[in-house]
Amino acid sequence: MKDIVLKGKNLKRELIIYLFCFVITTGMNIYSIVSYDTKWPELWLSLPIVFLLSIVIYALSGLFRFIYFLLKKAGVHLNILPLKK
Amino acid sequence: MSNPISRRKFIGNISALGLASTLPFMSTFSFASDLSSPSNIVNVGIIGVGSRGKVLLLNIQKIQGIKIIAVCDNYDTNYKRAISLTRNTAKAYTDHRKLLENKDLDAVIIATPLHEHAHITIDALNSGLHVFCEKSMAKTAEDCNAMVSAALRNNKILQIGHQRLFDPMYHKAIEMIQNKQLGSLTQIRAFWHRNRDWRKPVPSPELERKINWRLYEEYSLGLMTELASHHLQVANWVYGAAPISVAGFGSINYWKDGRELFDNVNLVYKYPNGNHLVYDSLISNKHYGMEVQVMGDKGTLEMEKGNYFLEHPPAAPGILQLVNDIEKGIFETVPIGGASWVPETANKVKPTKYHQTQKGLPEPTELQFHSFANHIRENKIDEENLKHGYNSSICAIMGHKAMLENKVIEIPDNLRM
Ligand SMILES: NC(=O)c1ccc[n+]([C@@H]2O[C@H](COP(=O)([O-])OP(=O)(O)OC[C@H]3O[C@@H](n4cnc5c(N)ncnc54)[C@H](O)[C@@H]3O)[C@@H](O)[C@H]2O)c1
């Protein structure tokens, strides 16, 4: 079995993607506080939930990227998302 | 003496639980006296050592400061068992009047069938003895009145065996109710369900009525005096009053085996402020078991299990509500042209356990005798307990009357303590 080696460039990309997921979930938290009229301290009190949710979204993004990778490998060309050579 | 609890620890537990605050008569747990001194030993005799009498005897044997010096039973099997349970240390009798002549006695404990409570209690009080009598107090309102009069006339303690009055879990519930944690009380619903014929094996046919006395009118009021009286006492405690009227139905709809008393009862008791107690009992289905559900506009208590439910629990954090709604939007199907009515299914809120049993604290059945003995030592009439015993017994009697006569029975003021 081959070891999966994360190169510096890849690691940085994954970190940015995760950060993006975290920002999205924090946005969801702010939106829910406003729309469900709950209390503002939930901004930090709900951090464990936000953190968990961001991991779930990150994992989902990983899944989609993996599917995308498989399709690319199979040589399928999608018009809407032109593959990089 | 096989008392596993040190006195100091026991007193500590009592005060830590704050039992004295919810009921004045619990304050007698002060233990000012030295229990090893013979003058502080309370000598008791037990009359009626059947199933309950045996339980009481074993509980009393754990208590330092109470000595069983006499036992009495007029059924040979139980008479012999009582002698062996006391390891021949107690004098044994078959006639309670002979036992009452024993000059060393301070008090008697009566655990005979219901129809024998009144006359034995009155004989004992008139002999100058304090009395602990099992619930229900008596089979008729006249007998209940005669028992109270005899206690007051002789200036002796008459305690009725409602052990929930000594249960820390019940005290906690009463405290929560008094602190308005349920908001305004709106209703009590109580029930006691079993699924068995309520018969005991009878060695020979002529003993049927002696052993299965609970099933016959001459000796008992069946489910009302044997089971309901406990929950009636609790309801009166919760509402802080005795009911003013009662209506109900009872019948024998399952155990048609020659018994005379109802095998299922459904009643509504009305209290002075318009609150109700809805009560039912049956012995042909045990799915729901037993419970006292106290409802208020802010919360509900299940007193037998020690559960507390809030009507409006604090909302979940916004983010969880959002996730929940997204999940619902994805997975829940929206019926087109479906029913416009949604059933009001029970609240799914998880209960909070409002009481943790304290290790080392005796069972309520034992605790009630600590209190009884202390009242005797302090020569203090336990009016609060007597009131509970009297009112719950009257409730049971009036409930039975309402079912027999098929009408609403108003409970007169002179039958409420
Ligand atoms: N507090 C509780 O939780 C609780 C539980 C069970 C029973 N009880 C009460 O205890 C009482 C007894 O119930 P039980 O189940 O033990 O009944 P039981 O039939 O098992 O016992 C009654 C005993 O009294 C004896 N007896 C009858 N008449 C007598 C007399 N004149 N003199 C001496 N002995 C006499 C009988 O021979 C029998 O041994 C009832 O009032 C019942 O309601 C209370």
Side-chain angles (χ1 to χ4, degrees):
Chain A
M1 215 189 211
K2 261 208 285 178
D3 285 345
I4 299 169
V5 185
L6 271 181
K7 289 193 194 122
K9 198 178 90 183
N10 289 349
L11 187 69
K12 197 175 155 196
R13 191 189 65 203
E14 291 308 311
L15 270 174
I16 291 172
I17 294 174
Y18 172 72
L19 215 71
F20 183 65
C21 295
F22 189 79
V23 170
I24 290 181
T25 30
T26 306
M28 279 168 74
N29 193 17
I30 294 171
Y31 168 78
S32 66
I33 291 172
V34 175
S35 63
Y36 293 95
D37 197 19
T38 54
K39 298 202 170 81
W40 280 107
E42 276 181 20
L43 212 52
W44 57 89
L45 290 178
S46 291
L47 264 181
I49 304 169
V50 167
F51 177 65
L52 239 134
L53 209 64
S54 65
I55 289 177
V56 171
I57 294 176
Y58 172 68
L60 278 175
S61 85
L63 184 74
F64 285 128
R65 284 184 292 138
F66 182 62
I67 294 169
Y68 181 73
F69 168 79
L70 285 183
L71 290 174
K72 197 173 112 182
K73 265 229 144 161
V76 178
H77 291 274
L78 297 173
N79 292 335
I80 36 163
L81 285 171
L83 300 179
K84 268 193 228 154
K85 287 270 144 75
Chain B
M1 184 80 50
S2 64
N3 189 355
I5 309 145
S6 81
R7 216 180 111 220
R8 198 150 17 105
K9 191 172 167 203
F10 176 58
I11 300 163
N13 283 336
I14 292 284
S15 43
L17 286 163
L19 292 184
S21 65
T22 32
L23 271 183
F25 60 81
M26 292 303 256
S27 63
T28 49
F29 282 106
S30 54
F31 283 87
S33 44
D34 175 8
L35 296 184
S36 57
S37 148
S39 61
N40 282 324
I41 300 285
V42 175
N43 289 330
V44 301
I46 304 184
I47 303 171
V49 197
S51 340
R52 186 62 181 169
K54 180 186 165 190
V55 171
L56 301 184
L57 183 146
L58 296 174
N59 271 282
I60 293 167
Q61 281 179 333
K62 293 186 210 158
I63 303 173
Q64 196 187 3
I66 306 184
K67 199 171 162 195
I68 302 167
I69 63 159
V71 285
C72 171
D73 204 295
N74 60 10
Y75 177 46
D76 196 48
T77 313
N78 292 349
Y79 170 81
K80 286 186 181 134
R81 187 181 61 179
I83 294 172
S84 87
L85 285 170
T86 51
R87 289 174 227 94
N88 273 316
T89 56
K91 236 174 145 350
Y93 303 85
T94 52
D95 184 336
H96 78 273
R97 288 164 300 189
K98 289 272 171 289
L99 175 143
L100 296 179
E101 286 168 11
N102 187 328
K103 291 280 169 273
D104 295 325
L105 282 171
D106 297 308
V108 289
I109 284 135
I110 300 168
T112 58
L114 181 68
H115 71 299
E116 303 264 23
H117 287 184
H119 76 98
I120 299 179
T121 297
I122 294 165
D123 285 351
L125 291 166
N126 288 342
S127 306
L129 297 172
H130 302 287
V131 175
F132 174 99
C133 177
E134 257 308 341
K135 63 85 213 161
S136 272
M137 201 171 187
K139 196 174 161 268
T140 65
E142 293 73 29
D143 277 352
C144 291
N145 286 338
M147 286 166 83
V148 174
S149 301
L152 298 179
R153 192 176 57 243
N154 291 294
N155 199 24
K156 293 288 162 198
I157 295 157
L158 171 55
Q159 182 172 324
I160 306 298
H162 285 291
Q163 64 270 26
R164 282 164 182 73
L165 282 170
F166 298 85
D167 189 332
M169 188 163 84
Y170 276 82
H171 279 259
K172 180 71 193 157
I174 296 292
E175 194 184 297
M176 288 168 76
I177 292 163
Q178 287 171 354
N179 292 343
K180 295 274 172 214
Q181 278 174 264
L182 269 61
S184 296
L185 294 184
T186 50
Q187 182 174 291
I188 301 176
R189 191 166 62 183
F191 49 87
W192 203 319
H193 298 179
R194 289 176 173 176
N195 195 349
R196 56 188 135 101
D197 61 6
W198 220 18
R199 285 183 172 280
K200 287 183 185 173
V202 178
S204 65
E206 73 275 8
L207 288 171
E208 163 63 13
R209 291 172 86 88
K210 165 124 183 98
I211 289 176
N212 286 316
W213 54 270
R214 282 177 174 78
L215 311 179
Y216 300 101
E217 273 170 9
E218 192 183 339
Y219 318 105
S220 173
L221 303 183
L223 293 172
M224 294 310 297
T225 45
E226 301 312 314
L227 301 183
S229 58
H230 282 301
H231 285 171
L232 294 168
Q233 178 269 312
V234 174
N236 295 349
W237 193 9
V238 168
Y239 282 144
I244 51 173
S245 55
V246 53
F249 292 100
S251 61
I252 301 174
N253 71 349
Y254 187 83
W255 295 106
K256 296 173 183 172
D257 56 1
R259 72 185 61 206
E260 295 163 3
L261 291 162
F262 302 140
D263 66 2
N264 74 103
V265 296
N266 295 72
L267 303 114
V268 180
Y269 287 84
K270 185 176 176 179
Y271 282 76
N273 57 0
N275 281 343
H276 298 158
L277 159 69
V278 183
Y279 182 82
D280 78 282
S281 185
L282 67 150
I283 45 175
S284 48
N285 177 296
K286 63 177 169 53
H287 181 74
Y288 292 105
M290 54 121 81
E291 195 48 84
V292 181
Q293 302 166 332
V294 183
M295 301 168 213
D297 62 345
K298 291 200 171 67
T300 302
L301 286 182
E302 288 177 348
M303 291 180 86
E304 292 282 357
K305 288 197 219 60
N307 288 336
Y308 174 45
F309 303 86
L310 276 171
E311 277 290 282
H312 307 289
I319 183 94
L320 282 185
Q321 294 187 51
L322 181 68
V323 171
N324 206 12
D325 283 353
I326 294 172
E327 207 183 324
K328 264 193 205 159
I330 296 172
F331 298 110
E332 249 177 34
T333 50
V334 182
I336 299 169
S340 60
W341 176 80
V342 181
E344 285 179 305
T345 46
N347 203 335
K348 290 201 181 78
V349 178
K350 290 217 163 59
T352 313
K353 288 275 172 206
Y354 60 80
H355 174 75
Q356 302 300 328
T357 312
Q358 287 224 349
K359 269 198 180 151
L361 190 74
E363 289 286 309
T365 299
E366 185 190 322
L367 275 176
Q368 63 188 348
F369 289 109
H370 286 275
S371 172
F372 182 54
N374 278 325
H375 277 93
I376 293 172
R377 283 184 204 107
E378 294 179 8
N379 203 16
K380 199 161 130 190
I381 299 248
D382 189 348
E383 271 175 28
E384 199 59 28
N385 181 287
L386 188 56
K387 196 171 107 177
H388 275 285
Y390 179 84
N391 286 338
S392 63
S393 199
I394 294 291
C395 287
I397 293 163
M398 292 297 150
H400 191 71
K401 188 172 155 75
M403 292 188 290
L404 281 185
E405 296 178 10
N406 260 326
K407 64 180 188 197
V408 178
I409 298 288
E410 305 292 339
I411 305 173
D413 275 352
N414 64 354
L415 288 185
R416 268 181 288 139
M417 253 178 111

